[in-house]
Structures are given as structure tokens and as C-alpha cells.
Amino acid sequence: MYFYFNNNSSESFKVILSDFPELPFVQEEIKSVEVGGKDGTLTKRTGKYKDLLISLECELLDIENYNEAIRNINNWLSEIEDNRLFFLDNPSKCYKVKKVTTGNIKNELNIYGAFTIEFTCYPFIYSTEEYEIEISNNSEFYYSGDIETYPRIILSGCRGDIQITINDITTQFNSTDGEIVIDYPQALDKEGVSITNSMIGKFPKLIKGINSIFWTGTIQGVRIKENALYRG
């Protein structure tokens, strides 16, 4: 079985999985709080999530070009251009890798006949491909993820003072002139210059299921990319 990482399938490097790994689920950090006068503790959700650790035990099929194959594998795992990691039995969902750790691949192969790759990933599971959708004013749209997320929002043809409200969060920009991109944790004008400090209100969030949107002022078009987050 193969996996996909950094613009390549492991098949390209003659690397296969020795066994299918146990894939982690998203875990929110929970705190236990002692309450005076009561037995036991209360649990408190923190809204923070733990990094995901994925350990892959791999075998190398290319025995003839052994040393060259190991060099290519090391380059593939260290020179990261695309941090998406996914498995070909579920290509629509991916993990996003923060760090890759390996031991001495050559020594591990000589001793064990296999080697281990550890991927430290961001705390969520993502859609492998995401697309922008056009949104109409005073409408509703469906968010497919399991966990609240900050979407990327492109406001085109903005003029003067504008407000956009998604669910119960209103965001305002004054004296606008052209495109604005809201992409947490920043907002950018048409020149790509940050206007976060002049933004009034909070960054919009999407909730699971149906979301509502409306805006006031001159905005010619609104496009949204979900940045969908999944638990598993």
C-alpha cells in the first residue's frame, strides 16, 4: 500500500507501507477542574487541539539502486513544497504536516528490513482539494466540516464603508477601494497590504451545517473558500 506526500506517491520512490497505520482522530484538550466542596472534578473544554502524530512503518522495494533510493527518499521527506499527507484509500481527506522525523534509514533497513517515518501534523483533518464558491447577499450556504473554521473570504469591488455578517459575527471596513481578502489571522487590501488593524469586529467563522450571510455597502461579489476541518 502506498501513501501520498509532498507532491509524490511513495510508489515513485519504491516505498510501501509494511502495515496500514493506526490513524489518529482529532482530540480537543480537556482540563479537569477541582470544585471546592464537591467530590471529583469537572471537565472543561479548552477549544484547543493537540497535534496529530502518524507513524508509518515502510519497506523499500528498490534493492538494486539502494544508496541512490535512500538519498531520494531523504530529499523527498526534507525538501517540502506540499505538506499534504493522505492515503490512497481515502484521497479526499488529508493531514497537513508540520515536521517529518526519520532515523538512519539505511541502518534501520539493514537491521530490521524496514524503516519508520514519523509525521507531526496540524491538529485537524482537511479536504485534499478545496474550491472557492460564489455567495449571494442575504443567503445561506452549507459548511461540510465537523469543526468551526475561519474561511478565506474575497470581497471584490468594494467601495466606501462596508459590513459583512456571517452568522452572528459582523466585520466592518471603512473607506474601502477595491478587493479585500479576509484570511485569518489577517485582512489584506488589493495591494496585499495588511489592513487588520483597521478592521472593526471579529474574523468571521463557519459553523457545522447551514451558515447565513449578508452584507451592506458596495460589494460587487463575495467568494468563500471553506478551509474545512474534520475530526476523522
Side-chain angles (χ1 to χ4, degrees):
M1 183 178 293
Y2 303 102
F3 62 95
Y4 185 98
F5 175 66
N6 194 19
N7 291 322
N8 280 285
S9 166
S10 61
E11 183 179 14
S12 303
F13 300 91
K14 303 295 177 63
V15 172
I16 63 169
L17 294 172
S18 303
D19 195 9
F20 194 80
E22 282 192 28
L23 297 178
F25 287 91
V26 173
Q27 290 186 325
E28 184 178 0
E29 294 182 1
I30 304 294
K31 285 186 176 180
S32 296
V33 181
E34 292 188 0
V35 179
K38 291 188 177 181
D39 295 327
T41 60
L42 297 178
T43 56
K44 182 180 179 181
R45 298 180 64 175
T46 64
K48 297 180 180 179
Y49 293 82
K50 300 177 181 179
D51 285 345
L52 303 178
L53 183 63
I54 299 175
S55 183
L56 304 183
E57 186 172 312
C58 302
E59 296 176 11
L60 179 62
L61 299 181
D62 192 349
I63 304 302
E64 293 182 6
N65 302 302
Y66 188 71
N67 290 323
E68 182 182 356
I70 292 173
R71 282 195 299 272
N72 290 337
I73 292 167
N74 279 320
N75 289 335
W76 170 46
L77 296 176
S78 59
E79 298 174 3
I80 301 174
E81 297 177 355
D82 180 352
N83 71 340
R84 293 175 301 166
L85 167 69
F86 62 87
F87 300 88
L88 300 182
D89 68 321
N90 188 17
S92 64
K93 302 284 178 62
C94 70
Y95 300 86
K96 292 188 177 180
V97 175
K98 300 172 71 172
K99 183 177 71 172
V100 182
T101 305
T102 62
N104 186 312
I105 294 176
K106 186 173 183 178
N107 285 349
E108 288 185 31
L109 285 170
N110 287 336
I111 297 171
Y112 306 110
F115 65 97
T116 300
I117 308 171
E118 288 194 345
F119 294 96
T120 303
C121 303
Y122 288 93
F124 306 107
I125 299 169
Y126 303 81
S127 293
T128 306
E129 301 290 346
E130 288 198 322
Y131 305 94
E132 292 177 359
I133 56 173
E134 293 274 356
I135 301 292
S136 300
N137 197 3
N138 197 23
S139 64
E140 293 181 334
F141 61 97
Y142 187 82
Y143 166 56
S144 62
D146 303 320
I147 300 170
E148 288 186 354
T149 189
Y150 292 102
R152 176 182 170 89
I153 305 171
I154 301 96
L155 311 176
S156 58
C158 302
R159 293 290 182 272
D161 299 347
I162 61 171
Q163 285 187 343
I164 181 169
T165 300
I166 294 182
N167 301 318
D168 59 351
I169 297 176
T170 297
T171 309
Q172 179 174 327
F173 298 93
N174 294 331
S175 304
T176 64
D177 180 24
E179 183 176 272
I180 291 176
V181 177
I182 305 171
D183 193 7
Y184 180 84
Q186 61 182 349
L188 305 173
D189 67 11
K190 62 183 179 181
E191 305 297 335
V193 176
S194 176
I195 54 173
T196 308
N197 289 338
S198 61
M199 184 182 87
I200 301 170
K202 298 179 179 179
F203 284 91
K205 269 188 174 183
L206 302 185
I207 60 174
K208 183 177 180 179
I210 300 296
N211 291 257
S212 62
I213 182 171
F214 72 90
W215 61 83
T216 60
T218 302
I219 303 176
Q220 293 181 356
V222 175
R223 307 190 309 276
I224 290 181
K225 186 170 80 169
E226 286 185 342
N227 294 330
L229 305 177
Y230 300 91
R231 295 186 186 278

